[in-house]
């Protein structure tokens, strides 16, 4: 909900709920001081399945944005981050070497880290019946991915050298390490990076926005809506 002087003029409609994928975009909008308007998408109440929202996000998942200047809607957090970075020329280098450095870690997050950590959280915390094989498989893969990230961060402050959309994509997921069964003392470089990114004023503002929109944690009604349905509603 930024109105800073250097905000992009036409602005963005931001369809948002404060989950890791939503936080990625909130962080960007705050970092780049984009002029944006929030439209809460309470995924615990099924707003992602309304016809209005489905027009913007045919996958029935949040986040989504409308770029008012271009009059286009975009779903998928990675596509949104990339679009906003290119549009504002912030948080992705313009030189080809720097750009591919960011892109490969952005895709690593959206195709690997995010989905695996999402499944890990589900099987460890929300599955109606314990599924030891799934817990074991996803927890092992989660640990492997944290080890990859830890190694990457051993000799640099940010994932792609300079702070970028790759950090914004990975941070909200890694912040939930406890729910993923991850002991952060095994991954000291990740721990330092979490502190570094988490202390950025824009990141704090993005999380404050989340608190404003959804002050409480998941209720039973939310859990039922989210985890009780495995397929898209007709
Ligand atoms: N690949 C998508 C994933 C988006 C996603 O899974 N969003 C979750 C919240 S983090 C959601 O909308 N869940 C609603 C549901 O499961 O019905 C992205 O990166 O944007």
């Amino acid at each position: 909900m930024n109105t800073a002087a250097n905000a992009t003029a036409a602005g963005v409609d931001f369809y948002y709920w404060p989950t890791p994928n939503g936080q990625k975009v909130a962080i960007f909008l705050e970092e780049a001081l984009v002029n944006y308007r929030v439209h809460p998408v309470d995924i615990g109440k099924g707003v992602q399945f309304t016809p209005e929202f489905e027009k913007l996000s045919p996958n029935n998942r949040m986040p989504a944005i409308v770029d008012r200047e271009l009059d286009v809607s975009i779903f998928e957090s990675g596509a949104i981050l990339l679009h906003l970075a290119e549009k504002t020329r912030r948080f992705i280098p313009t030189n080809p070497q720097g750009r591919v450095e960011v892109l490969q870690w952005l895709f690593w997050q959206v195709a690997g880290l995010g989905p695996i950590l999402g499944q890990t959280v589900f099987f460890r915390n929300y599955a109606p019946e314990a599924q030891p094989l799934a817990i074991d498989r996803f927890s092992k893969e989660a640990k492997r991915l944290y080890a990859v990230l830890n190694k990457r961060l051993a000799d640099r402050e940010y994932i792609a050298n300079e702070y970028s959309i790759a950090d914004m994509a990975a941070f909200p997921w890694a912040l939930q390490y406890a729910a993923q069964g991850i002991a952060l003392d095994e991954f000291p470089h990740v721990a330092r990076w979490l502190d570094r990114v988490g202390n950025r004023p824009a990141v704090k503002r993005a999380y404050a926005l989340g608190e404003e929109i959804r002050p409480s944690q998941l209720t039973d009604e939310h859990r039922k809506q989210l985890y009780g349905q495995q397929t898209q509603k007709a």
Side-chain angles (χ1 to χ4, degrees):
M1 287 183 263
N2 224 311
T3 51
N6 59 344
T8 54
V12 159
D13 282 304
F14 179 28
Y15 294 81
Y16 165 71
W17 198 245
T19 68
N21 288 315
Q23 289 309 114
K24 297 173 188 178
V25 177
I27 291 172
F28 187 98
L29 294 170
E30 286 295 336
E31 288 283 9
L33 298 176
V34 173
N35 175 23
Y36 69 95
R37 192 160 60 194
V38 172
H39 303 266
V41 180
D42 187 340
I43 58 173
K45 293 202 170 134
V47 176
Q48 67 274 33
F49 298 107
T50 58
E52 300 77 42
F53 184 70
E54 195 174 293
K55 276 189 205 140
L56 308 175
S57 178
N59 193 35
N60 304 99
R61 296 285 182 274
M62 163 310 297
I65 66 163
V66 173
D67 178 328
R68 291 199 291 269
E69 189 189 14
L70 300 182
D71 195 22
V72 290
S73 60
I74 310 171
F75 68 102
E76 281 296 324
S77 59
I80 296 169
L81 287 176
L82 189 54
H83 169 71
L84 292 174
E86 286 177 337
K87 184 177 172 118
T88 58
R89 297 171 189 255
R90 304 285 313 277
F91 307 112
I92 189 164
T94 47
N95 68 82
Q97 292 87 348
R99 185 180 152 82
V100 292
E101 197 75 25
V102 169
L103 287 184
Q104 63 192 351
W105 286 98
L106 177 66
F107 279 70
W108 175 80
Q109 192 289 317
V110 294
L113 188 74
I116 293 294
L117 297 186
Q119 296 302 327
T120 309
V121 169
F122 172 76
F123 283 111
R124 294 184 70 96
N125 304 286
Y126 300 116
E129 285 167 33
Q131 306 281 354
L133 181 61
I135 292 176
D136 183 59
R137 180 175 166 81
F138 285 111
S139 300
K140 277 191 184 138
E141 179 62 0
K143 249 184 130 171
R144 188 190 73 77
L145 290 164
Y146 270 84
V148 170
L149 185 57
N150 197 55
K151 202 188 268 184
R152 176 69 184 174
L153 290 165
D155 59 355
R156 71 196 77 222
E157 293 196 341
Y158 297 108
I159 294 176
N161 303 322
E162 280 174 30
Y163 181 61
S164 74
I165 52 175
D167 299 288
M168 297 179 201
F171 173 82
W173 281 101
L175 194 61
Q176 296 199 340
Y177 63 87
Q180 299 148 11
I182 294 293
L184 217 47
D185 50 3
E186 286 180 43
F187 305 106
H189 305 303
V190 174
R192 277 195 289 276
W193 167 81
L194 279 175
D195 268 355
R196 193 173 296 128
V197 176
N199 279 317
R200 294 179 66 88
V203 174
K204 290 187 176 165
R205 290 199 300 276
Y207 279 85
L209 171 69
E211 282 294 310
E212 225 176 275
I213 303 278
R214 184 191 61 176
S216 60
Q217 288 305 307
L218 275 184
T219 63
D220 285 346
E221 187 205 348
H222 283 106
R223 264 187 215 103
K224 198 166 152 214
Q225 172 69 39
L226 280 176
Y227 303 124
Q229 113 234 305
Q230 301 298 322
T231 52
Q232 191 171 310
K233 284 179 184 164

